[in-house]
Amino acid sequence: MGETDHILVVDDDAEIRSLLGTYLRKNGFRVSVAANGREMRTALETAAPDLIVLDLMLPGEDGLALCRDLRSRSDDVPIIMLTARGEDVDRILGLEMGADDYLPKPFNPRELLARINGVLRRARSLPPQPRGDVPAGMLRFAGWTLDTVARELLSPDGVVVPLSGGEYRLLRVFLEHPNRILNRDQLMDLTRGREAAPFDRSIDVQISRLRTALGEDARNPQILKTVRNEGYILAAPVERA
């Protein structure tokens, strides 16, 4: 992407920190490294990164806890999670906590570089969020309201319905593309800047959770509908306020 892009690598393996630091610098990035959560927070106080590469298995606070903490503070810095685990539940948990992408170990540094570029490209293509005294951006649909500044979903009765980072991004994509069929590859690219891998069902899991949050009947959803062999569609008009 360029020399101005700052990548923070958080991994307790000194060899991986050194390898990634060297490789990413050779590809034009500025790189900081941290071995644990304490060092990560120190690095964040020193200079805000453009993206964090975060290992799942860390001593003390693990990557899931750190990712959750970052998102709870409304820190929108993109996160790519590294994991040596092969279980789908760990990968999905990372995405549910707000990670933008994941990469299982061992990995090729070139693949990580491609993921970094893709996530950064996706993050920069999102519309900027209003700040300061600019009125909150509201997206209204089927009686529901998504506050894109507070990142909150409000029910028709005005009750705040909790959303994970992944669920928020997915709903935001549907609201930006109402009444349009989106397949899994498109949803993966729009939410995390990459194509879906074979057998990757994280999008399907998040849609199921999103339907639950919206109080949908799983057998006959009316807002987020499944289009057989094609994808999913938000079947409701969207109003901006």
Side-chain angles (χ1 to χ4, degrees), residues 6-160:
H6 177 200
I7 309 299
L8 173 59
V9 176
V10 185
D11 198 301
D12 63 327
D13 188 319
E15 185 175 350
I16 289 179
R17 294 197 304 272
S18 176
L19 182 151
L20 292 182
T22 299
Y23 183 79
L24 293 175
R25 289 184 187 102
K26 285 182 178 178
N27 282 275
F29 292 96
R30 184 160 57 93
V31 182
S32 298
V33 297
N36 50 47
R38 177 181 55 79
E39 292 185 8
M40 182 193 80
R41 291 188 176 93
T42 299
L44 290 173
E45 291 173 359
T46 302
D50 296 289
L51 182 144
I52 298 175
V53 176
L54 178 62
D55 186 30
L56 175 65
M57 299 296 291
L58 290 171
E61 290 182 279
D62 64 16
L64 290 177
L66 293 173
C67 183
R68 185 190 303 115
D69 180 56
L70 285 167
R71 293 302 181 237
S72 70
R73 295 187 283 111
S74 299
D75 194 330
D76 292 329
V77 59
I79 297 172
I80 295 178
M81 190 161 283
L82 303 178
T83 174
R85 296 179 178 179
E87 295 294 330
D88 283 347
V89 65
D90 298 304
R91 167 174 52 79
I92 293 171
L93 275 174
L95 298 175
E96 289 294 316
M97 293 301 173
D100 296 87
D101 204 349
Y102 74 95
L103 191 62
K105 292 180 177 179
F107 58 87
N108 187 314
R110 290 181 63 185
E111 182 174 3
L112 177 61
L113 177 63
R115 297 287 183 91
I116 288 173
N117 285 330
V119 170
L120 286 174
R121 181 181 67 251
R122 168 59 194 151
R124 287 166 181 166
S125 70
L126 289 173
Q129 293 189 2
R131 298 189 182 277
D133 57 358
V134 179
M138 300 289 189
L139 298 174
R140 297 192 173 96
F141 64 103
W144 294 78
T145 301
L146 184 70
D147 184 335
T148 63
V149 174
R151 297 170 70 98
E152 291 180 343
L153 176 64
L154 303 177
S155 75
D157 297 327
V159 177
V160 176

Side-chain angles (χ1 to χ4, degrees), residues 186-220:
Q186 290 170 320
L187 291 171
M188 290 288 278
D189 183 61
L190 289 167
T191 56
R192 293 194 284 278
R194 66 178 177 84
E195 294 182 352
F199 311 115
D200 188 331
R201 294 299 181 201
S202 58
I203 286 293
D204 306 283
V205 171
Q206 288 184 349
I207 284 177
S208 177
R209 293 178 182 273
L210 198 49
R211 282 172 171 164
T212 298
L214 293 169
E216 292 260 68
D217 180 348
R219 293 170 297 180
N220 186 31

